[in-house]
Amino acid sequence: MMQSAPGPETVIDGVKYLYFGGTSYLGLASHPEVIDAGCEAIRKFGVHSATSRSRFGTNPPVLEVERLAAKLFGTEDAFYFGSGYVANHVMVAALASDSDVVLLDEAAHYCVTEAARLAGKPVHTFRHRDPQDLAKLAAQNDRVLVMADGVNPSTGATAPVLEFISALKGQPKAVLLLDDAHGFGVLGKHGRGLLDELNLWPHVNSGPPIDCVELFVCGTLAKALGGFGGVIPGTSEFVTRCRNSSHYFDGASAPASAEAGATAKALEIVMRLPDLRRRLSENIKRVHDGLLKLGVPAPESRAANFGVTIRDAANMRRIYEALKARGIMLPYVGNYSGLPPEGVLRFAIFATHTFDQIDRLLAELGAVL
Ligand SMILES: Cc1ncc(COP(=O)(O)O)c(C=O)c1O
């Protein structure tokens, strides 16, 4: 049980650990200004508006999240709702009617897999990050909706988007939808995620298709961006379509006030302090370099979350326990969507980790390998 706010030092089951788990990559979930903004919002607006967005449920903090998310993502508008888990659900409701079949990366997150089924179309899986397998399946169908994670939540592997686009070239209709829950706030020049890093951002969510492939993305504000809830940025027309396609806008309570107030403040801080993202990428690089020195293969991606496999499950469990005994919490994840059977030691790097803390992790890891 976590008995403090998450951060570089986190209390779990009564013990304070040097913590490398979870997702608050920019370190904002425990930022004092974010906490104050959440408290202020709940005081002013109550726990939540106690009605759906389509009635009178859009209170000022909720609207502010949408305004600031649109600013961060450089889009006309953004749809903010209570859970990143349902972001794909909303996207599928908006996109699936034009497709005959859903092609799903076999390692995609649970929420992507569940949303794929909501399309009411046949769902076929292709091998994880395998454009050839995707091309083979796509060739058997005319209008395809392809779904995958932008960044795998446990391994940190990124979707080979350019190769996927090549694999779909010539398709009568191809839509590629990515869940970039772990890319938002971390990757790309503007922190807009994997498609920003690949210079494809102008094409997303109703932008012009690239090689006839329409690109769509959704994600969460609950990971790097330090808030809570799902987000879909885009043109006004596309965001309106998302609000109207599923019944999340008119059939669910609007996001809670404290959540929205905190999230708006976190977004404001991300834009005010670009240094946070710079520190995060320096920290990620320091961990990668340190792992290489230890002979542990560092991941290719520059995501803040990544998994490494060191021999087998028993060995990684031993390393996890040994680090824990030394006051370091580096989770061993044995079972999660898309993981190899032996599991991984999953690293989460924060902008707020100091170099000393990272060096201690690497030194202790080296001692117990
Ligand atoms: C790829 C992916 N999508 C969506 C989610 C869910 O997002 P949220 O926690 O904001 O509901 C997760 C959570 O771990 C995730 O890893």
Side-chain angles (χ1 to χ4, degrees), residues 10-356:
T10 300
V11 180
I12 296 172
D13 291 337
V15 179
K16 192 199 276 183
Y17 290 98
L18 180 51
Y19 181 62
F20 292 90
T23 62
S24 181
Y25 307 126
L26 291 171
L28 293 171
S30 53
H31 192 289
E33 284 185 58
V34 173
I35 293 169
D36 282 350
C39 294
E40 174 75 5
I42 195 172
R43 258 187 231 109
K44 270 196 183 153
F45 301 104
V47 173
H48 62 122
S49 57
T51 182
S52 68
R53 296 284 309 274
S54 68
R55 309 292 160 214
F56 320 105
T58 304
N59 64 17
V62 169
L63 201 62
E64 187 63 353
V65 172
E66 295 193 326
R67 188 184 73 78
L68 291 171
K71 191 169 170 197
L72 176 76
F73 287 105
T75 51
E76 286 173 352
D77 199 357
F79 179 21
Y80 170 52
F81 41 93
S83 154
Y85 197 93
V86 302
N88 290 274
H89 170 153
V90 174
M91 291 298 265
V92 163
L95 297 173
S97 62
D98 288 348
S99 305
D100 305 318
V101 67
V102 179
L103 306 180
L104 173 71
D105 185 306
E106 66 182 355
H109 188 261
Y110 304 119
C111 66
V112 180
T113 305
E114 288 173 8
R117 292 196 208 108
L118 295 170
K121 314 278 163 126
V123 177
H124 302 296
T125 52
F126 58 93
R127 278 195 301 273
H128 183 38
R129 303 177 71 238
D130 186 337
Q132 272 97 30
D133 206 30
L134 171 61
K136 235 187 279 166
L137 282 176
Q140 297 161 23
N141 297 279
D142 279 348
R143 303 181 311 161
V144 299
L145 168 60
V146 180
M147 295 177 70
D149 293 328
V151 176
N152 181 289
S154 307
T155 66
T158 51
V161 178
L162 299 175
E163 290 83 349
F164 282 177
I165 291 171
S166 299
L168 296 168
K169 220 174 182 171
Q171 202 70 29
K173 178 161 177 90
V175 173
L176 173 57
L177 167 58
L178 295 179
D179 177 349
D180 209 11
H182 298 268
F184 279 6
V186 177
L187 300 177
K189 184 162 173 236
H190 304 93
R192 295 170 186 161
L194 179 62
L195 296 172
D196 182 17
E197 180 162 285
L198 298 172
N199 294 320
L200 294 173
W201 190 255
H203 298 276
V204 307
N205 293 359
S206 267
I210 172 156
D211 285 345
C212 300
V213 178
E214 297 170 42
L215 278 185
F216 290 90
V217 70
C218 59
T220 180
L221 297 165
K223 303 197 187 301
L225 292 169
F228 199 89
V231 69
I232 299 171
T235 58
S236 301
E237 183 274 335
F238 179 68
V239 169
T240 303
R241 192 164 129 210
C242 289
R243 289 191 181 116
N244 296 333
S245 298
S246 83
H247 285 282
Y248 210 85
F249 194 74
D250 69 346
S253 299
S257 308
E259 228 167 78
T263 302
K265 179 52 76 177
L267 286 168
E268 189 260 306
I269 292 174
V270 169
M271 288 183 275
R272 181 175 14 116
L273 303 176
D275 200 43
L276 274 181
R277 291 189 49 243
R278 188 188 55 74
R279 283 198 342 244
L280 178 60
S281 59
E282 281 174 8
N283 283 352
I284 295 167
K285 183 171 182 318
R286 194 166 182 97
V287 177
H288 284 193
D289 291 349
L291 288 175
L292 284 173
K293 278 192 202 132
L294 293 176
V296 174
E300 282 167 24
S301 101
R302 288 186 291 154
N305 62 300
F306 56 87
V308 300
T309 301
I310 306 178
R311 295 215 308 271
D312 52 21
N315 186 49
M316 286 186 281
R317 231 177 257 122
R318 178 193 63 75
I319 293 172
Y320 158 72
E321 291 294 349
L323 287 176
K324 195 172 155 197
R326 292 162 182 243
I328 295 178
M329 186 58 79
L330 177 70
Y332 165 68
V333 185
N335 188 11
Y336 201 71
S337 59
L339 267 189
E342 63 277 18
V344 290
L345 287 165
R346 182 187 184 276
F347 291 71
I349 311 304
F350 305 154
T352 42
H353 282 126
T354 63
F355 278 0
D356 280 352

